[in-house]
């Protein structure tokens, strides 16, 4: 099997997992309106999750999860070695789902943090419907804040675009990053993180690519492919 065949298989199998959660992802009038509005404005958006968590998840949840899966595939087989993983700004769990699927690790302890209780409740429902191995805990937390332990890997998708001040504040940045961190976000945010990386951190990899949306998800994700920008960083030996 070629590397490309392997990737297609990952995405097709992940599509099956996401379809177990179809009741939470099926487009609604509100989610279609939200997606159309976002696409017409073509700018980085900050949503009001107290009123739009459900519409956000239906509009962007599957697509964000597929993007996160692509970023994780780029990390390779090391993905199984991370046991304590923290998802910052986990929302309804896009990155958590992709991580738990690819890691396929019964010892995984995944901890999602988010300020929105509605998003966290959706995340709990999704992770339970997905039936993936591992222990999952979702907790309401305003970030940045002390996490209380050093995760093996911190993951975060589309959180830094809503909290750009953290990119330029080395103390806040340091509070959030585990031994390593994998971030998926808009290209300009990833570029900014790379340009502002504080001392004590180094870039392990940076990727920009496209993800092909599996045909089985066409009615949920109204596009054939989506761009993915990610950065994987680590702490240097002398931190
Ligand atoms: C664009 S959504 C991304 C959600 C998810 N990671 C994804 O990719 O679908 C951003 C999430 O970050 C959360 N968030 C934004 N600012 C936050 C803050 N300062 N503290 C905690 N959560 C925050 C929001 O509640 C929201 O769920």
């Amino acid at each position: 099997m070629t590397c490309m065949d392997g990737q297609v298989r990952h995405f097709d199998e992940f599509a099956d997992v996401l379809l177990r959660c179809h009741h939470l992802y099926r487009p609604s009038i509100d989610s279609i309106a939200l997606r159309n509005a976002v696409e017409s404005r073509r700018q980085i958006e900050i949503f009001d999750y107290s009123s739009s968590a459900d519409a956000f998840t239906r509009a962007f949840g599957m697509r964000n999860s597929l993007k996160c899966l692509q970023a994780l595939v780029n990390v390779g087989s090391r993905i199984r070695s991370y046991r304590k993983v923290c998802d910052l700004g986990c929302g309804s769990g896009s990155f958590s789902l992709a991580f738990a699927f690819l890691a396929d690790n019964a010892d995984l302890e995944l901890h999602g943090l988010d300020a929105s209780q509605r998003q966290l409740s959706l995340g709990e429902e999704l992770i339970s419907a997905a039936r993936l191995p591992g222990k999952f805990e979702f907790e309401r937390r305003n970030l940045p804040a002390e996490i209380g332990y050093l995760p093996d890997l911190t993951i975060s998708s589309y959180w830094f675009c809503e909290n750009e001040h953290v990119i330029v504040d080395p103390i806040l940045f340091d509070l959030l990053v585990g031994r390593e961190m994998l971030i998926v976000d808009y290209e300009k945010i990833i570029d900014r993180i790379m340009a502002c990386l504080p001392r004590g951190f180094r870039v392990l990899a940076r990727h920009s690519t496209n993800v092909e949306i599996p045909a089985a998800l066409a009615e949920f994700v109204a596009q054939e492919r989506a761009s993915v920008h990610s950065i994987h960083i680590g702490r240097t030996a002398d931190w």
Side-chain angles (χ1 to χ4, degrees):
M1 188 165 56
T2 65
C3 178
M4 196 49 99
D5 291 339
Q7 281 211 23
V8 170
R9 188 172 51 80
H10 283 318
F11 280 89
D12 287 346
E13 288 175 5
F14 189 49
D16 290 341
V17 171
L18 293 176
L19 286 171
R20 286 180 204 152
C21 315
H22 62 92
H23 53 297
L24 297 163
Y25 283 132
R26 190 161 302 286
S28 64
I29 292 172
D30 286 350
S31 72
I32 293 167
L34 182 68
R35 195 168 57 209
N36 289 341
V38 167
E39 276 166 16
S40 68
R41 290 194 285 263
R42 296 198 153 273
Q43 62 183 29
I44 293 181
E45 301 269 342
I46 298 190
F47 299 92
D48 172 3
Y49 297 96
S50 57
S51 59
S52 69
D54 180 82
F56 175 87
T57 298
R58 292 176 191 276
F60 304 114
M62 272 196 185
R63 189 190 68 180
N64 285 359
S65 250
L66 292 163
K67 290 183 178 206
C68 294
L69 183 67
Q70 181 62 59
L72 289 163
V73 164
N74 292 334
V75 174
S77 57
R78 279 172 71 190
I79 213 75
R80 287 166 194 267
S81 67
Y82 305 110
R83 200 167 65 86
K84 282 189 188 295
V85 176
C86 184
D87 185 353
L88 297 176
C90 60
S92 49
S94 302
F95 218 153
S96 299
L97 279 169
F99 188 93
F101 164 75
L102 199 63
D104 193 20
N105 178 1
D107 294 329
L108 172 65
E109 291 173 25
L110 204 152
H111 184 195
L113 300 175
D114 200 282
S116 159
Q117 189 54 53
R118 184 66 196 124
Q119 288 275 75
L120 291 165
S121 301
L122 284 166
E124 279 167 357
E125 278 189 70
L126 279 163
I127 210 90
S128 146
R131 303 192 301 274
L132 293 165
K135 286 199 202 72
F136 304 94
E137 188 195 347
F138 290 94
E139 188 187 343
R140 187 169 189 184
R141 196 82 77 84
N142 281 320
L143 300 167
E146 285 279 1
I147 296 176
Y149 62 95
L150 188 68
D152 299 328
L153 180 71
T154 312
I155 55 179
S156 188
S157 53
Y158 300 103
W159 181 81
F160 279 95
C161 59
E162 296 192 358
N163 295 277
E164 284 195 56
H165 63 288
V166 176
I167 301 174
V168 290
D169 186 327
I171 295 173
L172 296 183
F173 193 82
D174 183 65
L175 265 187
L176 295 178
V177 182
R179 290 182 197 286
E180 295 177 22
M181 182 163 194
L182 182 64
I183 304 166
V184 172
D185 215 304
Y186 295 93
E187 183 171 27
K188 80 168 213 192
I189 300 294
I190 297 294
D191 286 343
R192 198 151 177 230
I193 292 170
M194 187 148 159
C196 300
L197 206 59
R199 280 188 60 185
F201 297 93
R202 68 194 172 106
V203 176
L204 301 174
R206 191 238 186 269
H207 292 278
S208 284
T209 183
N210 283 313
V211 57
E212 303 292 326
I213 308 301
L217 303 181
E219 66 174 294
F220 296 87
V221 185
Q223 56 196 89
E224 289 178 3
R225 64 185 59 80
S227 57
V228 190
H229 306 281
S230 65
I231 188 166
H232 183 184
I233 64 180
R235 290 181 184 267
T236 54
D238 52 348
W239 66 276

